[in-house]
Amino acid sequence: MESLRKSLSRLPAWLLSIVTMLVILWLTLAPKPLGDEPPSLFEGADKVVHGLMFGFLTSMMLLDWERKHHWKKAYPGRIFVCATLSATLGILIEFVQAGMGLGRGFEYGDIAADTIGAYIFAILWLCLPNPLRGN
């Protein structure tokens, strides 16, 4: 675990958050990011994916914050700020989709999924130990 921690510590500040955000922007704003025939999983799978994307973004922001602060545990206020920023990005994306006119549309269900995912991951971050931190 120590070698992974050292490797992650060498990365530029906020790199993981920025890369995650760019991937999310591509997946949510490109007209057909997965091609003409997106995968068909189960009804509501897109909402699960939204929750996972914005939860993962919350986690990457927290991981970047802890890396930047020498692996000090993020305090609850910081954790919920990151979740709020992640959820806010999800909301903004929905409004951008509504105005783009490229086949993407505004959905309240996506906003709910983005927000729920961001906060579930924040709660998990708060409650679960981080082996990189040594606790």
Side-chain angles (χ1 to χ4, degrees):
M1 195 57 60
E2 188 62 31
S3 64
L4 177 58
R5 183 174 154 156
K6 284 182 182 180
S7 295
L8 287 172
S9 295
R10 288 187 198 114
L11 294 174
W14 302 105
L15 177 68
L16 300 173
S17 300
I18 292 167
V19 169
T20 302
M21 198 176 317
L22 291 173
V23 169
I24 289 172
L25 289 171
W26 168 253
L27 290 172
T28 57
L29 296 178
K32 293 182 182 181
L34 302 176
D36 288 332
E37 293 295 321
S40 177
L41 302 172
F42 56 87
E43 189 173 332
D46 67 312
K47 303 306 180 247
V48 173
V49 170
H50 272 264
L52 291 172
M53 283 191 306
F54 288 90
F56 189 73
L57 177 59
T58 299
S59 297
M60 291 302 98
M61 286 191 283
L62 289 165
L63 182 61
D64 279 339
W65 188 89
E66 289 188 1
R67 283 185 323 113
K68 184 178 179 202
H69 293 89
H70 309 289
W71 300 100
K72 178 184 170 194
K73 182 176 181 167
Y75 51 90
R78 171 66 57 193
I79 292 170
F80 288 99
V81 164
C82 288
T84 301
L85 290 171
S86 181
T88 300
L89 177 65
I91 293 167
L92 291 173
I93 286 171
E94 288 303 311
F95 281 100
V96 170
Q97 285 178 338
M100 284 178 24
L102 295 175
R104 306 303 292 260
F106 181 95
E107 289 187 40
Y108 286 108
D110 288 349
I111 289 174
D114 300 343
T115 303
I116 291 167
Y119 282 98
I120 285 174
F121 275 64
I123 291 166
L124 290 173
W125 194 275
L126 182 63
C127 296
L128 297 176
N130 181 343
L132 293 169
R133 203 185 305 124
N135 65 356

